[in-house]
Amino acid sequence: MTDFHDALFRSLADPTRRALFERLCREGEKTVGALTAQAGISQPAVSKHLGILKLAGLVRDRHEGRQTHYSAQLDALAPLVDWTSEMTRFWQGRMDNLEDLLKRMDQ
Amino acid sequence: MNEKATEHRTVTIEREFPHSAEKIWRALTQPHLIEEWLMKNDFKPAIGHRFNLRGDWGGVLDCEVLAVEPHTTLSYRWDFAHDDAAYDLKSVVTFTLVPTETGTRLRVEQSGFRPDQKQAYGGAKAGWPQFLEKLEQVLTREG
């Protein structure tokens, strides 16, 4: 489980990859060419990033003629958003708020 | 994993504060203070009192006070009704205050999640863009 999280986090740690993934989440399936047009990097670099996202299960590719279409696989993120981890983060954030409040109550 | 563990999950957070239990108790039980660190509410420290917690994202939690032991224990139901059973949440939140040498240890325990519930109310309501923002914060923290 932790290894799996590591792979997910690593694949999304790179801002370029994250931008590619977020774009696929927002706009749906895209060809490598369409993604390259707005990515500001070369097509081979985009393909390399997509390959890493694919290994992490975050995107799926579909070949059609000479084009490769990529789409986001939101299910791959499901293990990160289960109740327990989400609520743990929620409460940790609220405890930070409480700490701030208690300091203010001193004054 | 025993049967109970597969039916319910529990989230437990502990934090030690350099403040008295009495002061933390006020932050946990006075509506205007609760609002400052948790959510808007119409809480009253009376067993059986039903109230709502209203989140910034528009979600409303249905709550009912279950236990009140001043400066020690506060417990309330924390339910989030949703048409989709996967998002429907019935849980109980319990705050326990334990004095320490330098202050008070606060334990927050939330139990009642079912393993088939894969999305928290926040994730369900806020959607993916917000989730990705949070993910980014996690990534920044994890360095």
Side-chain angles (χ1 to χ4, degrees), chain B residues 28-118:
Chain B
L28 297 182
T29 54
Q30 294 185 7
H32 71 286
L33 295 176
I34 296 170
E35 180 177 344
E36 286 204 47
W37 70 273
L38 185 59
M39 287 180 225
K40 286 199 172 72
N41 65 94
D42 53 343
F43 176 86
K44 278 182 202 160
I47 291 170
H49 173 66
R50 290 173 182 273
F51 64 103
N52 295 120
L53 289 170
R54 295 170 189 277
D56 300 335
W57 71 94
V60 178
L61 297 162
D62 298 312
C63 304
E64 180 187 350
V65 179
L66 300 174
V68 181
E69 286 176 45
H71 310 169
T72 307
T73 307
L74 173 67
S75 179
Y76 45 80
R77 233 183 267 293
W78 174 290
D79 296 347
F80 183 65
H82 197 285
D83 295 339
D84 186 336
Y87 300 147
D88 202 62
L89 170 66
K90 291 200 184 307
S91 68
V92 172
V93 175
T94 303
F95 302 90
T96 310
L97 296 167
V98 180
T100 63
E101 280 182 19
T102 52
T104 307
R105 188 168 55 246
L106 171 62
R107 189 175 72 217
V108 183
E109 196 177 295
Q110 184 171 14
S111 61
F113 307 115
R114 296 197 317 269
D116 59 331
Q117 292 176 315
K118 288 298 183 193

Side-chain angles (χ1 to χ4, degrees), chain A:
Chain A
M1 191 68 167
T2 307
D3 288 349
F4 177 70
H5 282 183
D6 283 353
L8 271 184
F9 278 123
R10 266 202 304 276
S11 62
L12 288 171
D14 181 275
T16 308
R17 278 201 291 279
R18 204 158 59 235
L20 287 168
F21 178 67
E22 285 184 353
R23 201 160 154 228
L24 290 171
C25 287
R26 274 198 312 271
E27 300 172 22
E29 192 182 75
K30 293 260 178 249
T31 63
V32 179
L35 287 167
T36 303
Q38 284 183 28
I41 50 172
S42 69
Q43 183 153 330
V46 169
S47 293
K48 193 181 164 201
H49 284 308
L50 289 169
I52 292 167
L53 289 170
K54 189 183 161 188
L55 276 177
L58 287 163
V59 302
R60 192 167 58 190
D61 58 354
R62 181 175 69 81
H63 298 279
E64 195 181 278
R66 293 172 54 206
Q67 296 275 25
T68 305
H69 298 255
Y70 281 87
S71 55
Q73 298 297 298
L74 293 177
D75 288 351
L77 290 171
L80 297 181
V81 288
D82 73 318
W83 286 100
T84 47
S85 58
E86 181 85 357
M87 288 313 296
T88 301
R89 279 199 293 276
F90 170 83
W91 284 114
Q92 276 164 352
R94 298 298 152 149
M95 289 298 102
D96 292 343
N97 294 350
L98 180 59
E99 199 162 352
D100 292 343
L101 170 66
L102 290 166
K103 275 181 209 152
R104 286 202 305 277
M105 284 167 70
D106 271 336
Q107 290 156 6

